[in-house]
Amino acid sequence: MLPGPDGGRRGPRRRSKRRALIAVLVAGLVVIVIGVASTVGFTRLVHHFTRSTADYADPIGAEQEVTITAGESLRGIGAALATAGVVKSEGAFVDAAGANPKSAQVHPGTFKLAKHMPAKEALSRLLDPSYQVLSHVVIPEGRTSAEIIAALSAATGVSVAQFTTAMENPSSYNLPSWDINPDGHKSEGFLFPATYDFQPGAGATTILQSLTKAFGFAAAATGLNTTAGPQNLTPFQVLTVASLVQAEAKRAEDMPKIAEVIYNRLKAGMKLELDTTVIYANGGQHALTTTAAQRALNSPYNTYVAKGLPPGPIDSPGEAAIKAALAPATGSYLYFVAVNPQTGETLFANTAAEHAANVAQFQAWMRAHPNYS
């Protein structure tokens, strides 16, 4: 072989050195990459094989409540349960979750668990709604804001004072932006009657938002926001009529006729003369009848004194009452009275004389049932 340009035969040796240098550089780069990756992946891998998977066996211990926070991973939940003494190890819970395809459905909340539970059973409880700790509140139709707040406070532990403070800022709990009469009680009528479940720790504003959100759904379902009110009434005025219907009706089937009476009296320029408005004006103490002194109270809510609708709702009506206020029965009735408060039987009349006869029937029933209230 002839010598190369440099006078020797060192070409192949140089190429070998370059290859070796490249190999060293690549190896070094691989080591660096592995070193960086190991801070996450390798540690996790080691943890997977070295973590404890010790588990409890029956019997379980004393009951206790555990709160799962939003955004917590299954591993984080397992660690929290282990710290609380519910499961024996984080690993046991992670393994139980990995074997259960529904484990992704675990959601935040407070749950009734117990000390020393097998991880599989702890996971089962987290997936079972019956083990979630909630404040269960039933708000019936026709309750005033004050009555509703008292019920919410008793069920949730949030004080009436906290609710009162929250209600001073109507925008915070999403009241409709309607043209509300400034003399009206702003929350009255908007705390929708329904069944609610609240998480422990829910604040006054959050709770109120649930009720006004339910009202929004009801308003949309009935067309309260979009349907033209009888006699060109605004949605707020229709809601006021609905509250009167709810307060006066003993049976759902009578609601459209009671709404008919209200609208006929408004059209005729007659005072509504509804005892329920008198009761509301006098502080809300429920009773079958009112006294002359109560009916003489000078209040815009007293429809024996003030003509037209009261300034706002006197309670929170349900969907049936709202529908009746939007679509009253058509007829000429001007009067009604419940002649049997026990059954709710209600008689309607066109004239004052007919109504007087019906009232006499109610009074006879009252005499026969002196202890009924």
Side-chain angles (χ1 to χ4, degrees):
M1 174 182 288
L2 294 174
D6 60 355
R9 292 191 275 179
R10 291 180 290 179
R13 188 179 301 170
R14 287 182 175 180
R15 286 195 294 271
S16 297
K17 288 182 177 180
R18 280 198 298 270
R19 290 194 195 100
L21 179 60
I22 291 172
V24 169
L25 291 174
V26 170
L29 183 61
V30 169
V31 169
I32 292 172
V33 171
I34 291 175
V36 173
S38 67
T39 61
V40 179
F42 185 70
T43 300
R44 287 182 176 176
L45 186 64
V46 170
H47 177 75
H48 176 75
F49 286 107
T50 61
R51 64 185 169 85
S52 172
T53 57
D55 202 358
Y56 287 120
D58 289 330
I60 63 175
E63 294 243 326
Q64 76 173 76
E65 295 180 1
V66 176
T67 299
I68 305 301
T69 58
E72 191 66 82
S73 67
L74 289 172
R75 187 179 299 282
I77 293 172
L81 295 181
T83 300
V86 173
V87 299
K88 195 165 188 179
S89 67
E90 169 196 323
F93 181 82
V94 171
D95 285 351
N100 189 329
K102 294 183 179 180
S103 60
Q105 298 174 16
V106 174
H107 59 271
T110 300
F111 298 84
K112 293 179 183 177
L113 301 176
K115 291 283 190 182
H116 301 174
M117 298 186 74
K120 183 178 179 181
E121 185 173 346
L123 176 63
S124 177
R125 287 201 185 190
L126 292 178
L127 292 169
D128 186 344
S130 67
Y131 284 99
Q132 188 166 10
V133 179
L134 299 170
S135 296
H136 187 73
V137 191
V138 178
I139 306 297
E141 293 88 347
R143 296 298 187 268
T144 65
S145 285
E147 291 170 328
I148 292 171
I149 294 306
L152 292 172
S153 178
T156 64
V158 178
S159 70
V160 171
Q162 288 174 296
F163 280 112
T164 301
T165 299
M167 291 165 70
E168 291 174 357
N169 182 14
S171 63
S172 70
Y173 57 102
N174 304 324
L175 282 187
S177 57
W178 292 349
D179 183 18
I180 298 176
N181 189 311
D183 294 328
H185 298 175
K186 293 189 182 298
S187 67
E188 200 74 85
F190 295 106
L191 305 181
F192 194 72
T195 299
Y196 298 93
D197 289 310
F198 299 109
Q199 295 276 3
T205 298
T206 298
I207 293 170
L208 291 172
Q209 286 172 347
S210 296
L211 274 67
T212 55
K213 182 177 181 181
F215 171 82
F217 287 137
T222 58
L224 180 60
N225 292 321
T226 56
T227 303
Q231 301 180 17
N232 295 317
L233 297 188
T234 66
F236 183 66
Q237 290 171 319
V238 172
L239 182 64
T240 300
V241 173
S243 76
L244 302 177
V245 170
Q246 186 71 70
E248 293 286 344
K250 305 297 185 293
R251 302 178 302 186
E253 61 263 33
D254 292 325
M255 287 183 174
K257 288 190 286 187
I258 292 175
E260 170 196 336
V261 170
I262 292 171
Y263 286 121
N264 284 344
R265 291 178 76 92
L266 289 174
K267 186 176 181 180
M270 301 171 66
K271 293 175 182 176
L272 295 182
E273 297 184 344
L274 300 173
D275 281 359
T276 51
T277 65
V278 176
I279 293 169
Y280 185 83
N282 279 274
Q285 187 64 40
H286 293 283
L288 286 176
T289 60
T290 57
T291 66
Q294 289 174 326
R295 293 191 294 274
L297 179 68
N298 185 17
S299 166
Y301 283 90
N302 180 0
T303 57
Y304 277 83
V305 172
K307 188 178 288 187
L309 289 172
I314 64 170
D315 60 46
S316 286
E319 281 196 22
I322 295 173
K323 289 178 180 177
L326 285 169
T330 55
S332 56
Y333 287 139
L334 291 170
Y335 307 90
F336 67 90
V337 61
V339 297
N340 187 330
Q342 245 175 355
T343 64
E345 179 186 0
T346 301
L347 298 182
F348 294 81
N350 293 298
T351 68
E354 292 171 344
H355 180 59
N358 293 339
V359 170
Q361 188 173 333
F362 162 70
Q363 292 171 338
W365 188 94
M366 288 293 290
R367 288 192 295 272
H369 303 80
N371 297 321
Y372 186 84
S373 61

